[in-house]
Amino acid sequence: MISATGDAASGLTPRAGAASSRETRVARTSHVPLAETDDGHPVIELPPSLARLLDAPSASDADAAWHAFVAQHSRIVLHVCRSVWPAHDEQMDAYAQILDHLRADDHRRLREFARAPRCRVSTWLVVVSRRVCLDLYRQRYGRPTSEEGREQRRARRRLQDLVAEELELHEPATTEREEADAALRHEELHDALQRALTDLASRDLLMLKLRFVDDLSAQEIARLLAFPSPFHVYRRLNVLLAQLRGTLLRLGVESAAP
Amino acid sequence: MGHLILLRGARDTAMNATPHLSADDAASFIDGTLSDDARAAIERHLAECDSCREEVAISTRLLATVPASPRRGVPWRLVLPLAAGILVAVMLVRPGGRPTATPTERGGASDGSTIVLIAPAPDAPLVAGRTRLVWRALDDSVLYRVVIKDASGAELWRGETSDTVLAVPPGVHLTPGKQYVMRVDGQRTDGSSVSSTEVSVRASQ
Ligand SMILES: [Zn+2]
C-alpha cells in the first residue's frame, strides 16, 4: 500500500500551524473558499462530517460518523475507481480498498489530513483514491493501467512534436528526395525546438505541457496556474508560440519543408 | 515526502531533482490554496516531472467530471411501475373482501438486511424488453446489480444501475416457458454488499 497522505516534512509546501492560533484574512487568488493566516498559510474548514468522525466520543458514534462520511463522498471515490478500472467487480474491489486505506489505524490518514487541511477533502480524496487504485492495479497486473499507459504514450510524444504541429511547421513531402530532405529538416527543427523549449521559464513550459500534452482546457489551466481567466492563458500561449516561432526563424529552421 | 519515491515504483519517469508531490501537495495545487512560493516550487517540479503532472492533470479532469448527485425522492421511472402495481392491487381486491394476492414486496425483509423486490409480480411472465425489476432503495447503497440465471445456475445477463429500477433489455435471449432466477445485489457505501432473495420467474410463452 502506498503512503498517499501528505508529509509534514514536505520540502515543497510548508504546512499550516495550529488552527486555534490563526488570525485569518481572505486569500486573494484562490478558487477555493478559504482564508489564510498572517504567515500566508491557508486555513480550510474541515467538513462537518469529517470533524464528527474524528471527534466521535464513542465507537458507535465513530461508526455512524464513518458511514455518514463515506455516504457523502462515495460518489467521487467511485468516479475515480471507474476511471481506472473498467469492470464493476474490480471497481468495487478498489472502492473497498480505498475505504480500508482511509479507515486503517483509526483513520490515521484522515487524521493527518485534518491536522492542517490545505485543500478540499474532495480534491484530496480524488488524488488519494487514484493512487490506491493505481497501486492496486500494479499489484494485480504488474504494469501501469491503460489510463497511465495512455498518458505515458502521450508524454512520449515529445512536446516539441506537439508544438511543431501547433505551429504548423510540418509540411507534406511529395517526392522521395523531398521526403529525405524533409526528414533531415524535421530532426533539425525538433532539435532547435527542444533547445528553445528548455530555455523557457518553468511556468511557461508547464503551461505548454498542460495544454498540448495533457489536453487541459484553457479554463482548467487558468485555475491550476492562477491566471485570472482563460483569456489570459490563451494570450500567454500565443506569446509563447510566437516566441518559439521567432527563435526558429532566427535559427533558420522555421519549417520542415526544404 | 522523499519516501514516496521509493514506494511508488511506477512513478519513475520523473526528473527526480526534487521529490514527487505528496497527495496533499497535489491536491493543494489543484485547489489553488498554496502560498506563492510553494506554488512556484510545485510548478518547477511539474514542468519536469511527467508523472506528477499527469496526476495533477487527470485529477483535475476527474474533479470536473464527477457525476451530479441523484435527485432525492422517487425516481420518475419508478412512478410508472408503481402506478401499475397499485392498479393491479386495486383490481385484485374483491368488493368487501381481502385481496387475493399482493403484487409487491417480496424477496426480503425491509430492515436493510436484504433487498426488497417490489416488481415484477410473482406470477408475471418474464419478457425481455418489457419486464422491469423494481426494488426498495437501501439507505446507503451506491450501486445495484441485477442478475438473471437459468435453471442450471448459469448467468444469462447482468445489469447495473444506481437507480432502483432496471428493465431487462430486449437482447436477452429467453426460452419461452423456461424457468429463470433473478436477484438484485446492492453495493453499500461502506463496501459491503446485500442481496435480495432469488426470485423464480417463467419466460413468457
Ligand atoms: Zn514528480
Side-chain angles (χ1 to χ4, degrees), chain A residues 54 99-112:
Chain A
L54 301 180
L99 298 192
D100 283 350
H101 181 82
L102 296 174
R103 204 170 192 182
D105 307 328
D106 188 25
H107 310 106
R108 178 177 60 81
R109 293 175 177 90
L110 286 168
R111 286 184 194 284
E112 283 173 6

Side-chain angles (χ1 to χ4, degrees), chain A residues 25 41 45 48 124 130 158 187 201 216 228 232 241 244 251:
Chain A
R25 63 177 187 270
H41 291 154
E45 291 296 322
W124 183 83
R130 191 170 167 276
R158 299 171 303 177
E187 273 316 298
L216 288 193
H232 292 77
L241 291 173
L244 289 170
L251 294 170

Side-chain angles (χ1 to χ4, degrees), chain B residues 28-93:
Chain B
S28 305
F29 181 78
I30 292 168
D31 275 352
T33 53
L34 296 168
S35 67
D36 290 348
D37 287 351
R39 161 178 297 283
I42 288 191
E43 283 177 0
R44 279 194 296 279
H45 181 78
L46 293 176
E48 303 299 336
C49 178
D50 289 343
S51 166
C52 288
R53 200 195 68 250
E54 279 160 25
E55 175 174 73
V56 165
I58 292 172
S59 300
T60 298
R61 213 173 289 140
L62 281 171
L63 278 161
T65 54
V66 179
S69 297
R71 284 166 294 158
R72 291 254 170 232
V74 181
W76 67 270
R77 277 171 295 174
L78 250 176
V79 174
L80 279 181
L82 280 180
I86 291 162
L87 186 63
V88 172
V90 169
M91 288 166 68
L92 289 175
V93 175

Side-chain angles (χ1 to χ4, degrees), chain A residues 12, chain B residues 5 8 11 13-16 18-21 45-46 48-53 55:
Chain A
L12 285 171
Chain B
I5 295 173
R8 282 191 240 151
R11 294 165 66 83
T13 56
M15 186 211 74
N16 285 328
T18 51
H20 288 303
L21 268 52
H45 181 78
L46 293 176
E48 303 299 336
C49 178
D50 289 343
S51 166
C52 288
R53 200 195 68 250
E55 175 174 73

